[in-house]
Amino acid sequence: MSNYSTPLISIITVSYNAVATIEQTVLSVINQDFEDFEYIIVDGGSTDETVEIIKKYQDRISLWVSEPDRGIYDAMNKGIRYAKGEFLYFIGADDILIDNFVLKKVSCFLTSKYNVYYGNVIFKKMNLLYDGEFNSFKIVTR
């Protein structure tokens, strides 16, 4: 439940046959030391054990669905339609949040629904920071 000082964040994971990685993703989200978020998983009708892993944690997932879709962007748009939060965050079924405090740390910076917020990605296996400093050229094409 959100309040004035901390906006509700909708975290959306889309998946398809992600049995090898989705459990780590789910755990990195549901173990956050922060309460003002909902977690939505949109699965494209996986034929492996992905759905069984989702079911294992369904009591801590706000909403999940597993049904055929027309690809990743269709699945993302489904997630947006289900979302109730003031802010959306997409996390891939093979990604994890850096620690259990990241949502608490960033929530205080979410001051306007008219801003675009971003964060860098760390490739742990390569110890590589991806993307670097943000600038207007990264979101604007000419």
Side-chain angles (χ1 to χ4, degrees), residues 12 14 42 70-83 90:
I12 302 168
V14 299
V42 179
R70 294 180 309 232
I72 191 168
Y73 297 113
D74 183 42
M76 292 172 115
N77 284 322
K78 283 183 188 181
I80 291 170
R81 285 192 294 275
Y82 295 132
F90 291 91

Side-chain angles (χ1 to χ4, degrees), residues 49-64:
E49 303 297 312
T50 299
V51 172
E52 284 69 22
I53 293 171
I54 294 168
K55 286 180 180 178
K56 182 176 171 182
Y57 301 102
Q58 68 185 353
D59 62 322
R60 299 184 60 199
I61 297 169
S62 305
L63 182 145
W64 70 273

Side-chain angles (χ1 to χ4, degrees), residues 5-45:
S5 61
T6 53
L8 181 67
I9 301 170
S10 296
I11 300 172
I12 302 168
T13 296
V14 299
S15 64
Y16 181 72
N17 289 342
V19 69
T21 57
I22 196 163
E23 188 163 24
Q24 284 187 307
T25 303
V26 170
L27 289 171
S28 81
V29 174
I30 66 175
N31 288 330
Q32 287 295 301
D33 183 26
F34 182 78
E35 294 182 7
D36 292 327
F37 75 93
E38 64 177 353
Y39 188 31
I40 298 166
I41 300 177
V42 179
D43 180 73

Side-chain angles (χ1 to χ4, degrees), residues 70-131:
R70 294 180 309 232
I72 191 168
Y73 297 113
D74 183 42
M76 292 172 115
N77 284 322
K78 283 183 188 181
I80 291 170
R81 285 192 294 275
Y82 295 132
K84 297 176 185 167
E86 290 88 357
F87 293 93
L88 303 175
Y89 179 72
F90 291 91
I91 182 168
D94 60 348
D95 296 329
I96 59 171
L97 297 173
I98 194 159
D99 61 38
N100 291 342
F101 307 99
V102 68
L103 291 181
K104 183 181 275 189
K105 291 176 195 173
V106 301
S107 66
C108 62
F109 295 102
L110 304 177
T111 58
S112 173
K113 64 182 180 180
Y114 302 106
N115 289 342
V116 174
Y117 298 93
Y118 82 101
N120 291 326
V121 174
I122 298 173
F123 293 110
K124 287 178 80 169
K125 289 182 181 177
M126 296 179 283
N127 197 27
L128 176 70
L129 179 66
Y130 173 75
D131 204 79

